[in-house]
Amino acid sequence: MDFYSISSNLLYTAFVIYFIATIFFGATIRSKEESGKSSRAAAVGITLTIIGFIAQLGYFIFRWIAAGHAPVSNLFEFTTFFGMMLVFAFIIIYFLYKLNILGLFALPVAMIIIGYASMFPQELSPLIPALKTHWLYIHVTTAGLGEAILAVSFAAGLIYLIKKVDQSKLNLKTFSLEFVLYMIFATLGFILVTLTFNAMDYEVAFEYRENGEETTTEYHLPAIVAPYDSTMITEDRFGPLFETPAWMEGKEAGRKLNTFIWSLLGGLVLHAFTMLLLRKRVAKALQPLLNKVNLDIVDEIMYRSVAIGFPVFTLGALIFAAIWAQVAWNRFWGWDPKEVWALVTWFFYAAFLHLRLSRGWHGEKSAWLAVIGFAIIMFNLIAVNLVLFGLHSYA
Amino acid sequence: MNKIKCECGHVNPEGTVLCEACGKPVEKNQHIDGNEKNKLLNMRYDGSARRSQTYNKTIVDKTWNFFSSVKVGVWLIVLALVASAIGTIFPQEMYIPRSVDPSQYYRDEYGIFGQLYYELGFHNLYGSWWYILLIALIGVSLVICSIDRVVPLHRALKNQRPKRHEVFIQRQRLFGKTEKVSKDDIKTFIEQLRKKNYKISEDQGHVLAEKNRFSRWGPYVNHIGLIIILIGAILRFFPFMYVDEFVFVREGETKVIPGTNQQYYIENKDFILELYDPEEEEKFAEAIVQEGGMVPKNFQTNAVIYQVKGEVVPGAEPELEKMKEGEIRVNEPLKFNGYALYQSQYQLNEFKSMSFKLHPADNPDDAIGTFTFDMTDPKKEYDLGNGYRVVVDQYFPELKLENGVPSSESNYPRNPAFIFFVYGPDIEERETSFLAIGANIDPGEDNRYKLSLDGVEMRDVTGLAVQKDRTLPIFAAGAIIFMIGVVQGMYWQHRRIWIHPKEQGVWIAAHTNKNWHGLKRDIKSALDQTSINPPEDQQELS
C-alpha cells in the first residue's frame, strides 16, 4: 500500500472513531453522576477521541510524505486540517474543564467539517510558485488552529443557548437558534446530496466565458442555476431554472452557487423531517438533554476558548499572513477580500472581548456573539472563495 | 483637588471609589462604579479614581470622557468592521482592469448596484477620508482608554495593603467564613499557596496572596503595539518612507533600477518558466490534468545587480561595477542594500530580432541579400548591396487588423508586422511588401522580388517589483508588542486571595480578573488539608 492510500484510510478510520466517541459522550447524559465529573462512558469517549486524533495525525503525516509538502494547500486539505485542530482544541479544553457534553457538540461539528472537506477534490496537487515557501505551513497551520479554538467557543455557545433560551414560545431568539441548527443540517444536506449524485455519476456541462476565456464547467448535481451567460452542452438534462448573477466573481461561481442552493434545499428537507419526527423544534427537543449542564462552566469555556484562540488567530491569520504576503507579493497588506475578512474576524473577536471584559456581556449575550463569530469564520472559509474575487483562490 | 483621607490613614485622590490601601468604599463615590445597587463590589479597576469618572465640566473633560468609554470604542470597532466588509462586495478600484474607466466599469459589470457603489466612493473605500478617520478615531480611543485606566490602576495596585476593610472582604465575589480555625490550618493554607507561586505579604496577621499581577498590564501593552502599528500606517503617507516601483527587463538587457536614484542597474541573464510535468511527477498527474496540464512550477529571473562607480552624472554613460548575482523567484526576492526585487510578472517570447532575405519571387533559393531588423535598435533603411536596399515604411510591434487596416496594439514586439519598400537597379520605382508572422501578403501581384522571413530571435521579459520599505521594522515591532501584550493579558490571570483573621476564625475572600474557575481550583486544592471552608461564589449565572 502506498503512502497516499494509508493516509486516506487513516482519515476514514479517524472519522469512524470520532463517531463512536460521540456516542459515548452521548451516553454520559443518561449517567447519574453530575456532569463535570468524569464517568466511565466519558473516559471511553475521550480515550477514543484521542485515538481518533492520532489516526488523523497519521493521515496528515502520511499525506505530507506522499505529496512532499504539508497537506494544507487546497480546500480539502485545509478544511480537514481545520477539523483536526477542532478535535485537538476540544481535547485540551476537555482536560481543563472535564465537561462531557462539550464532546457531544464539538465532535459532530468536527465530523461535519471533515465530511464537508471530503466533498472537494482529494488528489494530491502540486504547489504553484506562490505557495512554495515555509510560510505556507506556518501561516495556514497557525490560522487553522486559531480558528479551531475559536470554534470551540461556538460549540460551547450553542450548548449555552440550547439550555438557556426559553423554548415555550416562538420568537426571534428561538427562531435564530433554530436557524443556526438549520445551517448544520444544510452542511449535512450538502454532504448527502453530493454523495447521492456522485454515486449516480450525474453530469451536466456548460459553456461560458470566464475572465474573457471560453470555459466549460461540469456540474455533478442537476443544474438549478447555470453559470452567467452560458449554454448547456449536455442534452436531456434537468434545468437550469435561472442564471448566476454577474456580480458573483469567484472561479466557477455558477457551479458553486448551484451546489450551495442544493445544500440549502437538502438541509431544509432534513431539518423538516427531523422536526416532524420529534414533533417540535430541534433545539426544544435537545433542551431536556442538557438539564444537568452547569451553565457557569459552559460560559467559562466559551470565554476561555476565545481568550486562547484570539492571540493564535492574530498570529496566524494576520501577522504570519502579512509576512508571507510581503515575501510573495511584496506587500504585507493589500485589501484582498480574504485579508479583509480576516480583519473583520479580528475586529469581531476584539469587540467580543471588550464587551465581555469591560461591559459585562456574560452568559447569553456572549453565547450569541460566539455563534456569530463562528459564522464569520465560516463565511471567510467558504463564501469568500465562492462569491468574491481574490488572490487567495486556492483555499 | 479634594483628596480623600480614609480611616486607615491612606490619602486617596479625588474620585476614588475604593480606598487604594484598605479597600473601604468611599461612601459618596459609590454611584461611579454602580456599587450602591449591588451586593458585590465592582473590582474592574480596583475602585481607583479614573479621570473620566471624576471630571465632566470643560470641553477637554467631555472629549476625554467620550473617548475613554469602552462603549464608544466598541462602536468604532463595529463601524470599522461593517465598513471593511462593505469594501469586499465588489472589487476595489486597484483590482479592476487598468484600461477601463471605473465609472463605466462598475455600471457595466454590476449594474445599478455597481453604479451606486461607485457613486458612494466604495470602489476606493480603504483609502477614503472617512475610513481613515474611523481608524484614526479608534487610535485616539485606544490611547485615551488606556491612559484613563492604566494610571489609576497602577496606583491602586502599588498602594494595596494586605489588611483590608471588612466591607471590602465581604463584598468580594468569592467569600467564605470559618468560625473556628487553628493557626496551623492557616499556615498550611499559606504554604500551599506559596507552592502555587503566590506571593505572600503579611500585615498584623492579615495576608495577601497574589499571583501574576503583570497580566493586568497586558491590555495596555497590546494597545501600545496597536498604536505603533497605526503610527507605521501614518508614516506610509510619506513617500520617502518607502520605494514601490516596477521594471520590465528583457533577457540580455541591462536597465537602471527605478527608485534607486540611478544608483543600481539590473541585467536579466535569463528568465525561466517551468511547468509541472505529469510524467515526471506521477503523484500529481491527476491534479495536473484537471488544471488543463499547465501548472506552473517556477518563475525565475537570473539577474546581476550592478552599482554605479563613483558619482552619478546625468546624461553620461555610467561605469558599472558588478555587485551581486542571484536568482529571483516568487517567494525568494533578491535583496541588496535595503532594496528587494520581487518576481512579479513575465512575458514569454518577445521578438528580439527578425532576419529577412530578398529573392526573386519565383526562386526562393537564390538570395540577393539579407538583413536583420533589431527590435531594440530599429533602422529606417537597410542596404543589401549591389544597389538593393529596403526601406521600413511602417513597423507594427503588435499587429492588430481592423477591417483590413493594420495598426499596433502596443509598443511591445509580441506580434510584429512590417510594410517594406524594396528598391533596386532593376526595379522601376519600388516594390511594396507586407510581412507579418505566418503571413506574407504581396499587396501587388506583379512583384519581381519577394522578402521572406529567414530567422527570428526571441527572448523573455521579466517584470520585477522594486521595494524598499523603512516602515517594515515599525510594523514588526508593533506586531511583536501586540502579541506579547495579548498573550500576557490572556494566558495569565491576576489572582488575589485575602486571609482576614477574625477572633477565633478566619474570613477568606478572593478576586481574579478572569478565569474564576481556575482561581476556585487553586483555593480548593490549597485548602484540601485544612478545615477551612472554601469561599463561595456569590454570583453564579444560573
Side-chain angles (χ1 to χ4, degrees), chain B residues 175-182 185-186 189 499-509 527 530-536:
Chain B
F175 172 66
K177 291 181 189 175
T178 309
E179 293 299 340
K180 240 180 137 61
V181 70
S182 71
D185 271 359
I186 293 184
F189 183 37
I499 304 174
H500 193 93
K502 202 76 187 147
E503 290 138 27
Q504 303 281 300
V506 68
W507 287 5
I508 290 179
L527 286 176
T530 73
S531 60
I532 305 173
N533 302 329
E536 272 168 41

Side-chain angles (χ1 to χ4, degrees), chain A residues 200-220:
Chain A
M200 290 164 57
D201 263 333
Y202 192 91
E203 228 177 69
V204 51
F206 289 90
E207 220 171 44
Y208 66 107
R209 295 185 74 78
E210 189 173 274
N211 300 325
E213 274 177 50
E214 203 64 47
T215 322
T216 54
T217 179
E218 273 173 20
Y219 285 24
H220 297 282

Side-chain angles (χ1 to χ4, degrees), chain A residues 339-351:
Chain A
E339 287 172 348
V340 174
W341 277 93
L343 181 69
V344 167
T345 312
W346 186 84
F347 274 144
F348 183 84
Y349 281 102

Side-chain angles (χ1 to χ4, degrees), chain A residues 127 130 296 300 303 308 334, chain B residues 95 276 331 491 514-515 540:
Chain A
L127 293 183
D296 255 357
E300 187 85 27
Y303 164 64
I308 298 172
Chain B
Y95 287 118
Y276 280 99
N331 277 314
Y491 291 5
K514 42 179 134 354
N515 189 10
E540 294 237 23

Side-chain angles (χ1 to χ4, degrees), chain B residues 372-518:
Chain B
T372 299
F373 183 90
D374 188 346
M375 272 55 187
T376 57
D377 182 24
K379 301 234 159 45
K380 212 50 221 156
E381 196 177 312
Y382 295 88
D383 190 3
L384 304 188
N386 300 326
Y388 291 94
R389 63 193 171 92
V390 172
V391 171
V392 183
D393 176 49
Q394 286 198 68
Y395 162 47
F396 312 101
E398 190 176 2
L399 177 69
K400 183 173 80 174
L401 275 174
E402 244 171 316
N403 306 324
V405 181
S407 61
S408 189
E409 187 91 44
S410 74
N411 284 326
Y412 302 111
R414 290 170 188 155
N415 181 24
F418 305 87
I419 294 175
F420 291 124
F421 293 147
V422 183
Y423 297 89
D426 51 351
I427 299 172
E428 246 171 61
E429 199 182 339
R430 63 184 189 202
E431 288 184 355
T432 307
S433 277
F434 178 79
L435 272 109
I437 294 295
N440 185 357
I441 318 135
D442 290 323
E445 286 293 311
D446 48 355
N447 276 0
R448 288 185 58 183
Y449 295 100
K450 193 175 168 184
L451 274 169
S452 299
L453 191 62
D454 201 25
V456 293
E457 211 180 318
M458 312 260 244
R459 57 181 175 178
D460 301 331
V461 188
T462 187
L464 301 172
V466 186
Q467 269 239 338
K468 178 173 190 159
D469 198 335
R470 292 185 175 90
T471 64
L472 286 183
I474 299 172
F475 284 103
I480 290 169
I481 292 172
F482 173 79
M483 280 312 296
I484 290 173
V486 83
V487 167
Q488 177 183 348
M490 290 291 174
Y491 291 5
W492 281 275
Q493 302 89 29
H494 179 216
R495 295 175 181 170
R496 276 177 294 173
I497 300 165
W498 293 278
I499 304 174
H500 193 93
K502 202 76 187 147
E503 290 138 27
Q504 303 281 300
V506 68
W507 287 5
I508 290 179
H511 179 260
T512 178
N513 58 337
K514 42 179 134 354
N515 189 10
W516 290 86
H517 189 75

